[in-house]
Amino acid sequence: MRYSTGGDLTRTATTSRAPRGARFNFRAIGERLRAYRLAAELRSEDVAEQLDISRAAIYKLERGEIVKIDTLERLAALLGVSLANLLGVEVEYHDSAVSYFERMRQLESRSERIVAHFDPISFLLTSDDYDVWLRHMLDESIPPTLADRHWENTINRVLGILQERKSSFSRHRLAVTSLIGLRQIEQFLHHGLVGRLGLAPGVQLERKMAARREVARIVEFLEADTAGVQIGIVSDNMPNETFQIFEAQGEAYVAVSPFRLGELPNLRTGIATITTSPDGVGMYRAMIDRLWADSAKGKEGAALLGQLLARF
């Protein structure tokens, strides 16, 4: 691609700021812009005012309809990210749970299939009751010294995005392949749905029972062979960070994240990455194929989780 300051970002630009032959997805640029704007707690009108452009221009930018390099450079500076990150050159980085989960929502909304490992289970497969427990866990996970309006707002915004994801999934079922680590499920049952350790015994018991119900729900998915949902129970070691591949019409994204929504959740610390790099996608597909081949599925997987439930 070739672009110059003040001009449109055209389809064939090559400069020192972009790899030779790079091809940019304008819709994805707009989506990243929206995700970073939400993380910065800026409204469209706030951005328009600070850049001295119209709100309509911001809306068009977020839809991928206008791509001017000078505007993108100013936007990147305002949002505190690099231009390469905003353009999605190889890898985009997210140090905010808000921007990362918003990107997940965007990618899921146009995906035909996702393959994922979450610790311990995918939020899309949890019950509606889990949403209530998650609020308690996230509140508990914030240290008292940080319990202020900022983190309360962050939790509210993340929960809002998660609700949009789950609602969209219930309306338009995409194909989901979920890898679930047996050791992660064991830890999940041991702790229960808690945001921190040291809760009162009665509260801990209640949270452990809630965790049991979520695992029993996964057993039901496995036994029923639910259409569009494939689950593999992995006894081997799983990566420490969650990952997923989003696949749709000739494109694939790999997302790797330290943010977690299970017991002892984390919204505060870590950096998530999203890439379309063929090497990255290929490596994760190879790892997923190996883990899937060795996983317990269907009634075999249900029996494995049933044995674990019996131990607890």
Side-chain angles (χ1 to χ4, degrees):
M1 293 190 172
R2 184 165 56 103
Y3 56 80
S4 60
T5 300
D8 289 344
L9 192 59
T10 62
R11 301 279 174 182
T12 57
T14 55
T15 77
S16 61
R17 289 178 291 184
R20 183 173 297 277
R23 300 185 64 82
F24 295 126
N25 182 326
F26 300 118
R27 179 178 60 181
I29 291 172
E31 290 176 344
R32 280 188 288 273
L33 171 57
R34 171 180 165 82
Y36 289 130
R37 175 177 63 76
L38 291 176
E41 301 186 23
L42 292 172
R43 300 172 301 169
S44 297
E45 47 265 46
D46 297 329
V47 175
E49 182 179 351
Q50 293 194 48
L51 296 187
D52 195 24
I53 59 178
S54 69
R55 282 184 294 177
I58 298 298
Y59 297 145
K60 289 183 178 181
L61 277 162
E62 293 192 357
R63 291 197 299 265
E65 295 177 4
I66 297 177
V67 184
K68 292 182 178 293
I69 192 61
D70 61 332
T71 304
L72 290 180
E73 288 175 329
R74 294 163 63 204
L75 277 166
L78 175 63
L79 298 173
V81 299
S82 70
L83 179 61
N85 206 5
L86 191 57
L87 292 174
V89 178
E90 292 193 353
V91 182
E92 57 183 277
Y93 299 91
H94 296 269
D95 62 357
S96 161
V98 173
S99 67
Y100 177 70
F101 284 116
E102 169 62 15
R103 284 295 281 140
M104 281 183 56
R105 185 197 65 76
Q106 295 167 355
L107 294 171
E108 284 171 355
S109 70
R110 66 171 190 267
S111 292
E112 298 166 352
R113 177 173 181 258
I114 59 174
V115 184
H117 159 61
F118 290 97
D119 186 3
I121 55 181
S122 170
F123 177 76
L124 295 181
L125 302 182
T126 59
S127 70
D128 290 340
D129 288 342
Y130 192 86
D131 302 7
V132 178
W133 293 117
L134 181 57
R135 156 67 72 176
H136 292 304
M137 289 190 287
L138 292 174
D139 286 339
E140 292 164 355
S141 72
I142 306 300
T145 55
L146 297 179
D148 56 19
R149 187 174 295 277
H150 167 73
W151 285 111
E152 180 182 352
N153 186 39
T154 296
I155 289 172
N156 288 335
R157 295 165 75 203
V158 167
L159 290 175
I161 295 169
L162 294 176
Q163 280 299 317
E164 288 186 56
R165 288 178 55 213
K166 189 175 277 189
S167 296
S168 177
F169 179 65
S170 66
R171 293 192 307 269
H172 310 289
R173 281 293 180 97
L174 71 163
V176 174
T177 299
S178 180
L179 293 168
I180 298 177
L182 190 62
R183 295 180 186 178
Q184 282 80 5
I185 290 292
E186 184 172 2
Q187 181 173 305
F188 181 63
L189 291 169
H190 175 74
H191 290 302
L193 301 183
V194 298
R196 59 179 173 82
L197 301 178
L199 298 178
V203 174
Q204 287 184 325
L205 178 59
E206 180 184 34
R207 303 296 183 83
K208 288 181 180 181
M209 294 302 294
R212 283 183 60 86
R213 290 191 291 271
E214 295 301 325
V215 176
R217 178 180 171 86
I218 298 300
V219 172
E220 292 175 1
F221 273 117
L222 287 162
E223 291 178 335
D225 192 21
T226 305
V229 177
Q230 294 182 301
I231 297 175
I233 307 301
V234 180
S235 299
D236 197 359
N237 290 330
M238 296 292 283
N240 290 329
E241 294 186 308
T242 65
F243 61 83
Q244 57 190 321
I245 297 179
F246 302 89
E247 299 178 344
Q249 296 184 350
E251 64 178 5
Y253 291 77
V254 171
V256 182
S257 170
F259 304 122
R260 65 189 309 270
L261 303 173
E263 87 289 358
L264 305 176
N266 169 41
L267 293 185
R268 297 188 300 109
T269 306
I271 299 171
T273 60
I274 300 175
T275 182
T276 56
S277 162
D279 286 343
V281 173
M283 289 179 185
Y284 271 92
R285 278 179 171 156
M287 178 180 68
I288 287 167
D289 287 344
R290 177 180 62 79
L291 292 171
W292 179 256
D294 294 336
S295 67
K297 310 164 191 73
K299 295 191 182 300
E300 181 187 359
L304 202 58
L305 289 186
Q307 294 169 9
L308 192 58
L309 285 170
R311 287 174 47 198
F312 284 87

